[in-house]
Amino acid sequence: MRAPQKDRLLLLLGVLVLAGCGGKQDTLHPASKQEHAISELWWVMLTGAAIGFGVVVFLLLLGWLRRNRPNLPFGLGERAAAGVVVGMGVAVPIVVLSLLFVWSDVYVIKTTEPPRASSTSLTVEVIGHQWFWEIRYPDAGAVTANELHIPVHTRVNVVGTTADVIHSFWVPELNRKIDLIPGRKNRVLLDADRTGTFLGQCAEFCGLQHAHMAVLVFVQTKRAFRAWLANMARPARPPTTPEERQGLRVFLDAACSGCHQIRGTDAHGQVGPDLTHLATRTSLAAGAIPEEDLGRWIRDPQHFKPGNKMPSLPLPESDFRALDAYLESLK
Ligand code: CUA
């Protein structure tokens, strides 16, 4: 390998290693009891691996030294040297691996126990789609997409499934991942111990836009959450200006309403995200673009997220402007 190539490879490896730490998705910055257990296990595993690595390096060094200077090191005789090799090469790995095995089992049992409805105070359904997250609050009758709100210090039972292929729901700072599998319901407990915004990601390859399938989790105070949920449960606010009214007409007459639902109107489509309170969200298209880009998104969705199911509609500019006004009014 030529030197510049080697440098580039090292740089790439460095970036890949560092990409696992810090940033917005970080298993080592737990925000729940369950994630504390997972990150603790991570450190224990790292320590075990470091001991194993140290032993291997030590034995290699010992072998190399004895080959070059048979009387060294430490004046060890043949039998004593064989003892060191057996002790460190067999006994130490058996002890370390057994401890890690038991330790990880304890943690797996602790963290993978699915929540029971009786032990949780809120149930949220998460349904994976190519490529967005449908989020339902069945008790409140609220539906939203891509942005999951939960109250702090509350045991939330997340029930996950899919409308198409297998996806995987994972919010690294809150708990383990669950696969979203056709015809099955998997559950995971979210029990955040601080407020904040946490970034989750689809963790199972699900097609062209798998990488653009992010989910934002907003952990709010109980009061802020109740206010948010009450608004989500309400039907859409009726249009008030002539432009907004035209926007709703365009939405119903063009193809939009065939795929999207806006509760309280005649739009009942179930293919794309529910848009009843679209303007309260911070991002669009499963985190692919900020909400401020709504106008550009509806004019050319395939440009931002190629392969998604939303077609570019050949509408006159005045219709797009009316749609903008109406959709931005959906608070
Ligand atoms: Cu959904 Cu990957």
Side-chain angles (χ1 to χ4, degrees):
M1 196 182 287
R2 284 186 294 120
Q5 262 182 336
K6 204 167 147 193
D7 284 354
R8 243 177 283 161
L9 187 70
L10 283 176
L11 185 68
L12 181 68
L13 279 175
V15 168
L16 285 176
V17 168
L18 289 176
C21 324
K24 271 164 122 189
Q25 286 169 303
D26 191 346
T27 33
L28 301 181
H29 272 124
S32 71
K33 215 168 77 198
Q34 297 71 31
E35 193 56 42
H36 267 287
I38 292 172
S39 65
E40 209 171 289
L41 176 62
W42 189 92
W43 285 109
V44 170
M45 285 287 179
L46 182 72
T47 309
I51 293 173
F53 182 72
V55 165
V56 169
V57 169
F58 176 75
L59 288 178
L60 274 173
L61 216 62
L62 201 67
W64 179 76
L65 280 174
R66 280 181 71 85
R67 223 172 106 181
N68 289 304
R69 300 183 212 173
N71 298 327
L72 282 172
F74 327 126
L76 277 182
E78 282 299 317
R79 284 187 64 150
V84 168
V85 170
V86 172
M88 300 196 85
V90 181
V92 171
I94 286 177
V95 171
V96 170
L97 292 178
S98 304
L99 283 177
L100 289 183
F101 177 74
V102 172
W103 198 303
S104 60
D105 272 0
V106 168
Y107 275 94
V108 165
I109 292 164
K110 253 207 241 176
T111 61
T112 58
E113 189 196 353
R116 288 179 303 275
S118 60
S119 72
T120 51
S121 33
L122 175 70
T123 294
V124 183
E125 294 168 0
V126 172
I127 302 142
H129 291 255
Q130 282 174 315
W131 292 278
F132 72 94
W133 308 89
E134 179 184 342
I135 294 164
R136 311 186 79 96
Y137 295 78
D139 294 335
V143 191
T144 183
N146 301 324
E147 297 189 357
L148 172 63
H149 289 238
I150 56 171
V152 72
H153 297 304
T154 305
R155 290 168 61 83
V156 181
N157 178 21
V158 174
V159 182
T161 187
T162 174
D164 40 52
V165 301
I166 298 175
H167 303 267
S168 184
F169 174 82
W170 188 32
V171 187
E173 281 151 313
L174 294 178
N175 206 342
R176 67 196 174 89
K177 57 182 88 158
I178 48 165
D179 281 353
L180 308 183
I181 297 169
R184 243 194 96 96
K185 285 184 174 168
N186 284 333
R187 292 174 296 155
V188 68
L189 176 72
L190 296 188
D191 185 5
D193 57 21
R194 59 184 152 97
T195 57
T197 306
F198 302 97
L199 181 63
Q201 172 67 36
C202 179
E204 176 72 45
F205 181 71
C206 56
L208 191 59
Q209 292 295 345
H210 158 68
H212 289 143
M213 191 165 168
V215 57
L216 279 174
V217 179
F218 294 88
V219 179
Q220 297 174 292
T221 60
K222 289 178 185 170
R223 202 177 154 166
F225 172 76
R226 270 198 304 273
W228 175 85
L229 187 62
N231 184 47
M232 280 302 119
R234 278 194 277 272
R237 171 187 165 281
T240 48
T241 67
E243 196 173 36
E244 288 171 15
R245 277 193 284 277
Q246 193 206 335
L248 174 59
R249 270 198 303 278
V250 173
F251 193 90
L252 295 174
D253 294 346
C256 316
S257 58
C259 291
H260 293 283
Q261 168 168 263
I262 298 180
R263 284 172 282 133
T265 72
D266 288 331
H268 303 298
Q270 295 294 322
V271 178
D274 181 294
L275 303 181
T276 309
H277 298 284
L278 174 68
T280 62
R281 305 211 271 262
T282 63
S283 62
L284 298 173
I289 50 172
E291 201 276 336
E292 297 88 76
D293 282 339
L294 178 67
R296 289 163 59 204
W297 166 258
I298 60 174
R299 283 166 178 78
D300 193 4
Q302 294 300 318
H303 168 77
F304 294 97
K305 207 166 170 178
N308 85 78
K309 290 188 178 132
M310 180 147 149
S312 300
L313 296 177
L315 297 176
E317 183 52 32
S318 58
D319 281 359
F320 275 124
R321 272 203 298 275
L323 267 180
D324 282 343
Y326 175 58
L327 294 174
E328 288 292 5
S329 78
L330 297 175
K331 293 282 186 190

